[in-house]
Amino acid sequence: MNRLVVHVLLTIALLANGELALDGQQIRPTEAQLKAAFLFNFGKYVTWPRITGDTFSICLLGQDPFGPVLDSIVAGEKLGGKPADVRRIRGAQEASTCQIVFISSSQESHLQSTLVELAKYPALTVSDIPDFVRRGGMIQFVDEDDRVRFIVNLSAAQKAGFVVSSELLKVAKYVQRESGPGGV
């Protein structure tokens, strides 16, 4: 089993206070739990060109689909050698010290201008907005047979200076390697 998948499962098990392993019943994590666990673990499988600020910030832009789940996962953890935190931001201009920016579907109508603004910062962009990677985003969550998967726009990530681990790419549903429209 891929190390990333193991990390996501362990993160979810910890979130469930070990109930997944202890009570013998199949407890199915929610979509928000899975996406939050992936979002946190992306920080372990991507190398940033530089990390600004005193913390490793996972920022949520727009309506928060995770509630306290992401805060619980990140509490007390470190990423990139710095304490990890979760910040809710109101606009892309507040993302200068964010390492990961999750763009909520509530921001879909502003996506192009948001991605242009975020290109100024070393921020990994993630969203579940349809066609996110075709529109220039870096990682897009997709639902497949009641499973949370993701697509990586490797060319967009590399253009921003990120190094995406081969382990992360192995578990992606699809890796878009060429820049430009189409291909997913």
Side-chain angles (χ1 to χ4, degrees):
M1 186 178 291
N2 184 288
R3 209 169 66 172
L4 172 62
V5 173
V6 170
H7 281 154
V8 168
L9 293 174
L10 288 173
T11 302
I12 292 169
L14 289 172
L15 188 65
N17 296 321
E19 291 178 27
L20 291 174
L22 296 177
D23 67 4
Q25 296 179 1
Q26 289 262 333
I27 297 175
R28 190 178 178 103
T30 67
E31 181 179 322
Q33 289 173 321
L34 284 168
K35 288 180 179 178
F38 272 118
L39 199 58
F40 171 72
N41 281 291
F42 290 155
K44 297 178 180 176
Y45 292 91
V46 173
T47 303
W48 272 252
R50 65 183 185 284
I51 298 177
T52 58
D54 296 330
T55 60
F56 185 103
S57 295
I58 299 173
C59 298
L60 305 177
L61 177 58
Q63 188 174 3
D64 179 359
F66 305 110
V69 172
L70 183 59
D71 297 283
S72 297
I73 290 172
V74 172
E77 297 290 337
K78 285 188 171 186
L79 290 170
K82 296 184 176 191
D85 69 356
V86 178
R87 293 179 28 220
R88 280 119 181 121
I89 59 176
R90 290 174 287 169
Q93 65 279 3
E94 296 178 30
S96 65
T97 57
C98 298
Q99 281 66 50
I100 298 174
V101 177
F102 179 83
I103 304 169
S104 169
S105 59
S106 67
Q107 299 296 305
E108 185 170 4
S109 63
H110 315 294
L111 182 58
Q112 285 314 118
S113 61
T114 298
L115 289 174
V116 168
E117 182 69 23
L118 289 174
K120 299 175 184 174
Y121 314 118
L124 182 76
T125 57
V126 182
S127 183
D128 52 10
I129 293 174
D131 296 324
F132 181 69
V133 295
R134 285 185 193 212
R135 296 160 75 179
M138 297 174 195
I139 298 178
Q140 176 186 336
F141 288 121
V142 292
D143 297 325
E144 182 181 80
D145 300 327
D146 283 337
R147 294 176 48 206
V148 174
R149 305 281 315 269
F150 58 90
I151 299 169
V152 176
N153 182 343
L154 186 59
S155 60
Q158 289 174 333
K159 184 178 175 184
F162 297 112
V163 177
V164 181
S165 81
S166 60
E167 290 185 78
L168 182 64
L169 298 177
K170 282 180 193 173
V171 296
K173 177 183 177 186
Y174 184 85
V175 177
Q176 180 178 326
R177 296 181 188 276
E178 301 296 324
S179 60
V184 178

